[in-house]
Amino acid sequence: MLSGLHPCSSRTAFIIYGLVFQVQELQSALFKVTGSPGPITKAMGEDVVLPCRLSPEQSAQEMEVVWFREQFSPFVHRYKGGQDQYGEQMPQYQGRTELLKDGLSMGSVNLKIFHVQLSDRGNYTCFIRRDSDYDEAVVELKVTASGSAPLIALEQYQGGGIRVACRSAGWYPQPQLLWQDSQGRHLPSLSESTTQDKSGLFAAESSIIVTRGTSQNLSCSVQHTPRGQEQGSAFYISDPFFQNAHPWMTALGVVLVAVVALLTIAVYLFKIKGKQEKKIAMQEAALRDRDAEIEAQDKELAWRRCAVPIEEVKVVLDPDTAHCDLVLSEDCKSVTRRDTRQDIPDIPERFNPWRCVLGREGFTSGRNYWEVEAVDGGGWAVGVSREDVKRKGEIEFKPEEGIWAVGQWAGHFQALTSPNRTLLPEIQTPKRIRVSLDYEEGRVAFFSVDEGIPIFTFPLASFGGMRVHPWVWLGPGTWLKMWP
């Protein structure tokens, strides 16, 4: 309907329409997330930084940042509300990740993973969200491992010659073994085999038969493509070893020649490189000491951040909730299962038939922790429960019934999750456990005081404003004590 307007007015309207369209385009793409243009490759045991940033450059301090693998939750690392969130972190990354916050103000959300393992290899998604706007980028991590130098073994007489084997282990990905003569020509192998251990590392073996008249100055090298590495070992077999001597004399002679050759090489290298290697060794030792000190400090800081909430509470057990087979100490700080029924009234608050007892004081707010010492007889479990937890008849120890706990149950140390229990075989059953409760956030976490490490964190829960109490269950012959 611009036909009745002056030409200048039409041109002005067109310009305004174009500007509005550009503003809408800008609003629909407030930022873009970029990662690494290619894979990141790191050796097993080293630390790695996965890059991710906002474009155009802007602060990410008030944004939500989530690094995850195949699924959004559980995640590798999460940052929200200006702080790290650990409630649903994947167990294998607990205590091993750090969002580098020095770059947040400039839009950098790089993730550091400590002590890379083979299981860490794969794709990582960097997800950033502010209100309804979000974007993500994928970063690929490749993990390598460098193995041992090839070991050459003279095995036996075979096919009119001597069978020689070359072995090397501790590689990832799979290495390749190559035989060469004195002119550098590749020789075909008699047999090749590759195996992979439980940790995923490869071991390779190759054999060849050396006969009289062929080049007896040979070498075996292991080639590792990802990092362009190559390690080799050379050897020489003289003619007398091909004579029809007794096998044990031949073997002994070969061994003596090999030993003499190795000693000669070792003495030569020691004289030429002794000082340099000593200097390098001293530098490496200093670096290891520094790295060990930094690692110890990092572990201590991580333990303090995760395991020490704001307030330590003194838990006193409530005798009105204790099963009649449980005997409380005079100060109500410890409890023993006697399996001898006490003559006490079966009031509604008392557990029956399960041998449980609650803490007298409950919590409706705050971050609190307490510790429980256990002397195991026939199993035990410690944790928290809602005030409305079922007291009579059959009880299922799981979050849906209002109980969040871990313990020595059915001969295994495990978390009492639902629908199935979570076995914790990598955790040595602790004698003293710290129970941590963050009521507002809904986090229930457990830590081993013996080893100073996290044990298990339940998915975030909502207590619905209901009071939450310390809770324990005792198996036959078990004794528990509350600290402090």
Side-chain angles (χ1 to χ4, degrees):
M1 297 278 89
L2 298 175
S3 59
L5 297 176
H6 189 274
C8 294
S9 300
S10 300
R11 190 180 302 108
T12 302
F14 179 77
I15 293 173
I16 293 174
Y17 174 79
L19 290 174
V20 170
F21 178 77
Q22 290 180 355
V23 170
Q24 290 177 344
E25 285 294 308
L26 289 173
Q27 290 178 341
S28 64
L30 294 178
F31 58 82
K32 180 177 178 60
V33 176
T34 58
S36 171
I40 304 296
T41 302
K42 273 291 177 180
M44 187 174 67
E46 295 182 353
D47 300 340
V48 65
V49 175
L50 302 183
C52 182
R53 64 180 304 104
L54 291 170
S55 178
E57 182 179 306
Q58 55 188 287
S59 175
Q61 291 175 328
E62 301 302 325
M63 297 185 180
E64 179 183 7
V65 179
V66 181
W67 282 88
F68 63 92
R69 299 289 300 269
E70 290 82 4
Q71 55 187 13
F72 192 82
S73 179
F75 48 77
V76 176
H77 196 97
R78 185 184 185 192
Y79 171 86
K80 184 179 180 182
Q83 59 183 358
D84 297 310
Q85 307 286 333
Y86 297 100
E88 299 177 27
Q89 188 178 33
M90 297 173 70
Q92 62 266 38
Y93 291 98
Q94 290 181 1
R96 295 179 53 233
T97 62
E98 178 186 2
L99 190 70
L100 302 181
K101 300 182 179 60
D102 292 345
L104 286 177
S105 61
M106 297 178 291
S108 173
V109 293
N110 297 343
L111 179 71
K112 187 173 185 179
I113 302 178
F114 299 93
H115 307 299
V116 170
Q117 307 167 2
L118 284 182
S119 59
D120 294 335
R121 66 188 186 276
N123 291 335
Y124 292 75
T125 300
C126 173
F127 174 89
I128 304 179
R129 174 168 56 193
R130 179 176 62 195
D131 300 328
S132 60
D133 299 304
Y134 66 89
D135 194 18
E136 61 186 33
V138 176
V139 179
E140 182 183 1
L141 173 61
K142 293 184 177 181
V143 180
T144 66
S146 298
S148 62
L151 173 66
I152 296 176
L154 307 181
E155 294 190 327
Q156 62 184 13
Y157 286 101
Q158 181 178 338
I162 299 176
R163 181 187 177 103
V164 184
C166 178
R167 303 182 181 92
S168 183
W171 297 89
Y172 190 89
Q174 182 174 331
Q176 183 181 12
L177 293 178
L178 297 176
W179 293 95
Q180 291 180 312
D181 61 16
S182 58
Q183 305 300 319
R185 293 186 296 261
H186 291 292
L187 302 176
S189 60
L190 175 68
S191 64
E192 296 180 353
S193 65
T194 304
T195 58
Q196 194 171 16
D197 61 22
K198 294 181 179 179
S199 64
L201 297 176
F202 286 97
E205 179 176 344
S206 178
S207 63
I208 192 172
I209 294 180
V210 181
T211 59
R212 181 196 298 269
T214 62
S215 175
Q216 295 149 32
N217 189 0
L218 304 177
S219 66
C220 175
S221 61
V222 55
Q223 295 186 344
H224 198 225
T225 304
R227 307 196 75 177
Q229 289 182 309
E230 180 174 348
Q231 297 187 45
S233 295
F235 69 102
Y236 176 80
I237 302 178
S238 59
D239 284 340
F241 289 96
F242 294 98
Q243 298 176 0
N244 295 324
H246 296 290
W248 69 270
M249 294 179 64
T250 303
L252 178 60
V254 171
V255 170
L256 289 176
V257 170
V259 169
V260 171
L262 290 175
L263 288 175
T264 302
I265 294 172
V267 171
Y268 174 75
L269 292 177
F270 179 78
K271 290 181 178 179
I272 299 301
K273 299 182 179 180
K275 293 183 179 180
Q276 182 179 0
E277 290 178 351
K278 183 177 180 181
K279 182 178 179 180
I280 293 175
M282 293 177 62
Q283 293 174 344
E284 290 178 347
L287 289 174
R288 285 196 298 270
D289 292 342
R290 187 192 66 180
D291 292 342
E293 182 179 355
I294 293 175
E295 182 179 357
Q297 292 175 351
D298 289 343
K299 288 183 178 180
E300 177 66 17
L301 290 175
W303 163 254
R304 291 184 181 275
R305 286 196 302 267
C306 297
V308 184
I310 294 176
E311 185 176 355
E312 180 184 40
V313 294
K314 296 182 179 180
V315 175
V316 176
L317 299 175
D318 186 358
D320 289 340
T321 65
H323 185 276
C324 58
D325 287 350
L326 301 182
V327 179
L328 273 62
S329 62
E330 185 175 349
D331 60 359
C332 293
K333 298 283 289 181
S334 63
V335 56
T336 305
R337 176 169 170 176
R338 299 292 189 191
D339 285 335
T340 301
R341 185 180 182 88
Q342 303 177 82
D343 187 15
I344 52 179
D346 188 14
I347 56 179
E349 295 82 0
R350 194 178 308 283
F351 285 92
N352 189 18
W354 287 95
R355 277 71 170 181
C356 304
V357 60
L358 298 180
R360 181 178 297 165
E361 302 297 331
F363 309 98
T364 57
S365 63
R367 298 172 64 203
N368 305 281
Y369 77 93
W370 59 94
E371 295 177 0
V372 185
E373 180 182 353
V375 176
D376 188 17
W380 50 270
V382 300
V384 301
S385 77
R386 291 198 310 262
E387 193 169 41
D388 65 344
V389 69
K390 188 177 179 182
R391 311 291 177 92
K392 307 296 182 183
E394 290 299 321
I395 308 173
E396 293 190 59
F397 298 164
K398 59 183 183 180
E400 289 83 351
E401 298 297 328
I403 295 175
W404 294 261
V406 300
Q408 186 71 11
W409 185 276
H412 300 283
F413 186 57
Q414 54 188 286
L416 307 186
T417 52
S418 176
N420 299 314
R421 304 283 168 78
T422 301
L423 297 179
L424 304 171
E426 70 281 2
I427 303 294
Q428 183 177 359
T429 303
K431 295 181 180 178
R432 192 159 172 172
I433 288 182
R434 176 169 295 176
V435 184
S436 173
L437 170 65
D438 188 331
Y439 189 93
E440 283 79 5
E441 192 170 350
R443 176 184 287 119
V444 181
F446 300 86
F447 305 86
S448 170
V449 179
D450 305 339
E451 301 185 41
I453 60 173
I455 294 177
F456 186 80
T457 300
F458 278 87
L460 298 183
S462 175
F463 303 122
M466 189 165 296
R467 188 173 296 275
V468 175
H469 292 262
W471 172 93
V472 298
W473 166 82
L474 289 82
T478 300
W479 172 86
L480 296 177
K481 179 177 177 62
M482 316 303 290
W483 294 89

